[in-house]
């Protein structure tokens, strides 16, 4: 490294290996050597993960602005067994509008080479093939943008920057009526309303589930109210009929908003959300149009309010149509499976809702769980055990398994149908018997279902269609399969474990201490007995944990947040309401679930990189 270059830790980047090969490259396979001269950003993601989807959206602007110098490569690193299927990755790349090359790494080979510990993780490689930065979680696009500008200038001067077109080759669009539809609703007319998610539209279909009546939305990703032709959405998902029977509330997921569709006129208006994503510290209640939301995935009317599966922050919120307010209804924002009073419950990416007179059922996707909220606001779990166990197993609910369900439908007999998405199945839970059975298999990523008389119509998302099934009197029998997440447990020594969350404020920024400490670290464990000391919240990003030698395996839940502001107001400012300028500030946050195994001779330090490089691990 020449003396004129910024002092920056550089580690040689390991090769990119993935058994599934490359997508979005016109079938060409790439090595790092092929990308020499470009700034490469590796985005380690998995398509089940809402935080990964947030990062895809964060990167779009940077990707466009630096298209001739930056190559973003998605490294798909599966959590669930289904995500290791190559076709499922192909589908996800189209479903979420990924416009850069993707390496399909079903065996986590590249993930291990780069010592990644969390989804999502971003790694920046300079034009000479060295790793110069690593960031876990969301909120880092501004820091990477600044680093990219520095690297462009530095390597332009050294003659090591190579500009030009990147390796991205767009796939041919498929001419299906629906494209990765998300949710469906039976309208009073007998027609269906479907969220045509990847095309950013709503589609009304006749009762046959195939014939198009009308499309609502321009079809271009955007956030605009207006007529059916003028309005725009961004990956809409959940739909619910409002009590007036004449309008539908829409979970406009990537716009972080709730929209209202007037069924008579086709007019679209905004009910809740600002279009910006909610971050820790933002208001959690107030006038609905003034409060930020975070990836609302489904909606259901329960107890006079519109409940929202707020997948992006692992909570349930509620919109009150009478006074036009929105507020948190359940969940702490911690990711996991904890029952109890609404304010203490933990969820993990709730993605499907269905209301009955006395229960709000929910599909809690990342814990592969079916859960419910009672009229007193208590949260209960019917099926599911936590973040890392999943599969396809029928029988008693305590030992039954699902795999990343996205939809739930209340049935007339008091039981519940679950769109068991990654098992390609429709399952049934009967509260009267406590049994889980399988209603149908050979569906392709079912994401929702609606009742029509004696039939159930399933949104078969990855086959781009609605599929009508007769509700069987006898359940289908399937061979039981149980899985555990493929991510290997970290071997740690019993006793004292030093937890270090690495955070280095990006170049040109400093920690934001205007309102007190700018960092927060929250630690807990499953089972709780794993931690003898060190759980709870504090502002220090390092902590000594005491691990119980009597507990041989478990999961450490670590949540970290840091806020930084531009050091030089000229580097980016926001204007206050009083007219003065203040530095632009940014929140960096990430939750880790770290499976650990206690073994003599295991590590006594656990470093987790939020932003920067872990100097202790750098040769």
């Amino acid at each position: 490294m020449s003396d004129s270059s910024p002092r920056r830790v550089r580690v040689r980047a390991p090769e990119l290996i993935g058994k599934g090969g490359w997508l979005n490259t016109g079938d060409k396979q790439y090595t790092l050597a092929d990308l020499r001269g470009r700034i490469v950003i590796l985005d380690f993601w998995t398509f089940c993960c809402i935080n990964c989807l947030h990062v895809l959206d964060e990167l779009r602007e940077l990707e466009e602005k630096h298209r001739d110098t930056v190559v973003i490569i998605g490294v798909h690193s599966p959590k669930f067994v289904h995500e290791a299927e190559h076709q499922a990755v192909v589908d996800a790349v189209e479903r979420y509008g990924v416009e850069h090359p993707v390496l399909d790494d079903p065996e986590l080979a590249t993930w291990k080479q780069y010592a990644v510990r969390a989804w999502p993780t971003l790694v920046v490689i300079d034009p000479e093939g060295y790793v110069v930065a690593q960031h876990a979680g969301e909120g880092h696009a501004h820091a990477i943008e600044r680093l990219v500008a520095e690297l462009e200038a530095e390597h332009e001067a050294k003659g090591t920057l190579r500009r030009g077109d990147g390796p991205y080759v767009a796939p041919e669009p498929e001419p299906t009526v629906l494209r990765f539809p998300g949710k469906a609703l039976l309208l009073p007319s007998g027609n269906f309303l479907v969220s045509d998610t990847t095309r950013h539209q709503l589609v009304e279909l006749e009762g046959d589930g195939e014939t198009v009546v009308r499309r609502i939305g321009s079809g271009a990703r955007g956030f605009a109210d207006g007529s059916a032709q003028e309005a725009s959405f961004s990956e809409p998902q959940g739909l619910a009929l409002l009590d007036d029977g004449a309008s539908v509330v829409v979970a406009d997921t990537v716009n972080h908003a709730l929209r209202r569709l007037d069924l008579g006129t086709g007019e679209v208006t905004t009910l809740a959300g600002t279009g910006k994503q909610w971050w820790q510290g933002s208001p959690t209640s107030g006038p609905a149009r003034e409060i930020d939301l975070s990836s609302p995935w489904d909606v259901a009317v329960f107890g006079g309010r519109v409940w929202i599966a707020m997948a992006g922050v692992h909570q349930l919120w509620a919109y009150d149509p009478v006074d036009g307010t929105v507020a948190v209804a359940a969940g702490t924002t911690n990711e996991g499976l904890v029952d109890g009073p609404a304010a203490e419950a933990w969820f993990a990416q709730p993605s499907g809702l269905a209301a009955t007179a006395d229960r709000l059922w929910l599909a809690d996707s990342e814990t592969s769980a079916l859960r419910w909220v009672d009229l007193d606001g208590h949260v209960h779990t019917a099926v599911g055990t936590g973040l890392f166990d999943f599969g396809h197993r029928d029988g008693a609910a305590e030992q039954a398994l699902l795999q990343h369900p996205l939809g739930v439908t209340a049935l007339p007999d008091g039981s519940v149908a679950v769109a068991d998405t990654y098992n390609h199945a429709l399952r049934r839970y009967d509260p009267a018997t406590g049994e889980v059975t399988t209603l149908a298999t050979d569906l392709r990523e079912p994401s929702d279902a609606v009742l029509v008389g004696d039939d159930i119509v399933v949104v078969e998302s990855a086959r781009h269609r609605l599929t009508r099934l007769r509700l069987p009197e006898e359940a289908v029998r399937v061979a039981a399969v149980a899985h555990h997440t493929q991510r290997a447990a970290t071997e740690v020594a019993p006793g004292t474990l030093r937890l270090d969350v690495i955070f280095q404020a990006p170049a040109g920024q400093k920690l934001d201490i205007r309102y007190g400490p700018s960092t927060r670290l929250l630690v807990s464990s499953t089972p709780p007995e794993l931690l003898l000391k060190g759980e709870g919240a504090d502002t220090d990003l390092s902590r000594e944990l005491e691990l119980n030698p009597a507990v041989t395996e478990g999961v450490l839940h670590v949540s970290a947040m840091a806020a930084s502001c531009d050091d030089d107001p000229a580097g980016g400012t926001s204007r206050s309401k009083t007219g003065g300028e203040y530095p632009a500030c940014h929140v960096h946050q990430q939750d880790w679930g770290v499976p650990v195994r206690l073994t003599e001779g295991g590590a006594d330090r656990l470093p987790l990189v939020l932003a920067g490089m872990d100097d202790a691990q750098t040769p």
Side-chain angles (χ1 to χ4, degrees):
M1 192 158 41
S2 69
D3 292 339
S4 61
S5 303
R7 288 187 59 80
R8 190 182 293 119
V9 175
R10 300 201 312 169
V11 180
R12 175 64 70 182
E15 190 50 83
L16 304 178
I17 312 159
K19 197 172 180 182
W22 291 79
L23 306 175
N24 279 358
T25 61
D27 295 327
K28 185 173 177 187
Q29 307 298 299
Y30 280 88
T31 66
L32 274 178
D34 297 326
L35 303 170
R36 200 59 47 82
R38 312 301 287 273
I39 300 162
V40 176
I41 300 171
L42 303 182
D43 175 16
F44 288 87
W45 71 300
T46 189
F47 63 76
C48 71
C49 157
I50 190 67
N51 312 89
C52 299
L53 304 187
H54 289 166
V55 167
L56 283 176
D57 293 317
E58 285 181 9
L59 292 175
R60 288 184 206 281
E61 188 178 340
L62 181 141
E63 197 167 19
E64 186 57 42
K65 186 174 174 184
H66 298 272
R67 199 168 280 283
D68 67 333
T69 57
V70 170
V71 175
I72 296 176
I73 293 172
V75 182
H76 189 269
S77 315
K79 171 187 173 182
F80 289 99
V81 168
H82 169 60
E83 293 174 306
E85 293 177 22
H86 182 70
Q87 186 56 47
V89 181
V90 172
D91 288 345
V93 166
E94 182 189 348
R95 180 193 294 271
Y96 297 116
V98 179
E99 295 185 353
H100 51 248
V102 172
L103 176 64
D104 179 12
D105 181 18
E107 296 175 347
L108 302 180
T110 297
W111 164 286
K112 291 168 188 168
Q113 285 294 309
Y114 281 82
V116 174
R117 291 185 182 273
W119 296 279
T121 291
L122 296 167
V123 174
V124 182
I125 301 171
D126 74 11
E128 293 177 291
Y130 290 91
V131 173
V132 292
Q134 182 173 329
H135 300 78
E138 303 177 50
H140 302 294
H142 65 281
I144 291 175
E145 164 87 41
R146 189 149 187 164
L147 176 58
V148 163
E150 286 180 9
L151 290 170
E152 284 177 342
E154 175 187 340
H155 288 274
E156 191 97 77
K158 289 173 70 174
T160 47
L161 185 71
R162 180 167 57 85
R163 294 179 182 270
D165 293 334
Y168 171 67
V169 177
E172 286 293 318
E174 298 281 345
T176 51
V177 171
L178 301 171
R179 204 70 193 157
F180 298 104
K183 305 285 184 182
L185 178 67
L186 183 64
L187 298 175
S189 65
N191 287 349
F192 295 101
L193 187 68
V194 184
S195 51
D196 196 12
T197 305
T198 298
R199 294 213 180 107
H200 315 297
Q201 288 180 319
L202 310 180
V203 180
E204 185 175 343
L205 301 174
E206 289 183 7
D208 62 6
E210 297 178 2
T211 307
V212 175
V213 177
R214 59 175 170 167
R215 292 183 177 272
I216 294 115
S218 66
R221 187 191 294 272
F223 187 19
D225 289 342
S227 69
Q229 295 76 34
E230 298 166 337
S232 54
F233 301 94
S234 188
E235 298 182 31
Q237 289 279 354
L239 307 165
L241 195 65
L242 290 172
D243 288 336
D244 60 13
S247 55
V248 171
V249 59
V250 181
D252 193 6
T253 304
V254 178
N255 278 329
H256 311 295
L258 295 189
R259 316 291 291 281
R260 176 184 176 273
L261 167 66
D262 185 307
L263 289 172
T265 65
E267 192 80 12
V268 176
T269 51
T270 299
L271 292 177
T274 63
K276 294 178 181 171
Q277 186 184 335
W278 186 93
W279 287 97
Q280 291 285 355
S282 301
T284 54
S285 64
R289 292 290 303 273
E290 298 174 18
I291 303 296
D292 298 338
L293 309 180
S294 182
S295 297
W297 206 275
D298 204 6
V299 280
V301 178
F302 179 62
R305 294 185 293 169
V306 177
W307 286 64
I308 309 163
M310 203 71 80
V313 282
H314 317 299
Q315 289 180 311
L316 302 179
W317 288 41
Y319 166 74
D320 188 330
V322 176
D323 61 14
T325 58
V326 70
V328 173
T332 63
T333 75
N334 293 320
E335 184 178 12
L337 194 152
V338 176
D339 290 340
E344 299 169 17
W346 290 24
F347 301 99
Q349 220 168 293
S351 301
L353 298 175
T356 64
D358 60 352
R359 291 187 181 187
L360 179 70
W361 292 98
L362 67 114
D364 205 28
S365 62
E366 280 292 292
T367 49
S368 296
L370 172 66
R371 307 178 72 186
W372 53 280
V373 184
D374 63 26
L375 291 171
D376 295 325
H378 277 69
V379 178
H380 311 260
T381 298
V383 183
T385 58
L387 284 165
F388 300 104
D389 293 293
F390 54 91
H392 191 152
R393 189 161 66 196
D394 287 341
E398 307 82 66
Q399 54 89 54
L401 293 171
L402 309 169
Q403 187 179 178
H404 197 81
L406 290 179
V408 60
T409 308
L411 300 178
D413 64 356
S415 66
V416 183
V418 179
D420 192 6
T421 309
Y422 289 2
N423 280 328
H424 309 303
L426 191 67
R427 311 286 291 283
R428 176 177 176 262
Y429 166 69
D430 186 350
T433 64
E435 291 284 312
V436 175
T437 52
T438 297
L439 293 174
T441 57
D442 193 33
L443 300 165
R444 186 73 188 164
E445 293 193 22
S447 54
D448 196 19
V450 290
L451 276 175
V452 185
D454 293 332
D455 295 342
I456 191 162
V457 174
V458 180
V459 179
E460 210 176 347
S461 188
R463 283 201 180 110
H464 319 292
R465 70 188 188 192
L466 302 187
T467 300
R468 186 181 292 259
L469 305 170
R470 177 57 50 98
L471 277 175
E473 293 180 23
E474 294 297 324
V476 177
R477 292 282 161 215
V478 295
V481 182
H483 298 296
H484 197 266
T485 182
Q486 291 186 41
R487 190 161 40 139
T490 298
E491 294 197 346
V492 294
T496 302
L497 177 68
R498 175 78 178 179
L499 171 66
D500 288 327
V501 173
I502 315 298
F503 179 76
Q504 293 148 6
Q509 294 181 25
K510 59 183 179 182
L511 289 173
D512 177 13
I513 54 172
R514 292 173 300 159
Y515 307 111
S518 61
T519 54
R520 176 176 176 270
L521 178 64
L522 177 69
V523 180
S524 64
S525 67
T526 304
E529 299 76 31
L530 173 63
L531 273 179
L532 295 175
K533 191 182 88 175
E535 70 173 332
D538 200 352
T539 56
D540 192 344
L541 290 182
S542 291
R543 188 179 302 181
E544 283 202 349
L545 310 181
E546 192 74 29
L547 302 182
N548 185 348
V551 180
T552 56
E553 287 195 1
V555 179
L556 291 174
H557 303 283
V558 180
S559 178
M561 188 269 289
S564 61
C565 291
D566 291 335
D567 204 358
D568 172 13
T573 59
S574 302
R575 187 166 290 278
S576 70
K577 289 180 181 175
T578 57
E581 289 192 343
Y582 57 89
C585 295
H586 314 277
V587 176
H588 318 251
Q589 66 181 52
Q590 172 62 16
D591 295 339
W592 292 267
V594 183
V596 294
R597 184 179 301 115
L598 274 60
T599 44
E600 293 298 335
D604 60 3
R605 176 176 179 261
L606 177 62
L608 299 174
V609 176
L610 178 60
M613 300 282 279
D614 179 18
D615 293 340
Q617 287 190 331
T618 301

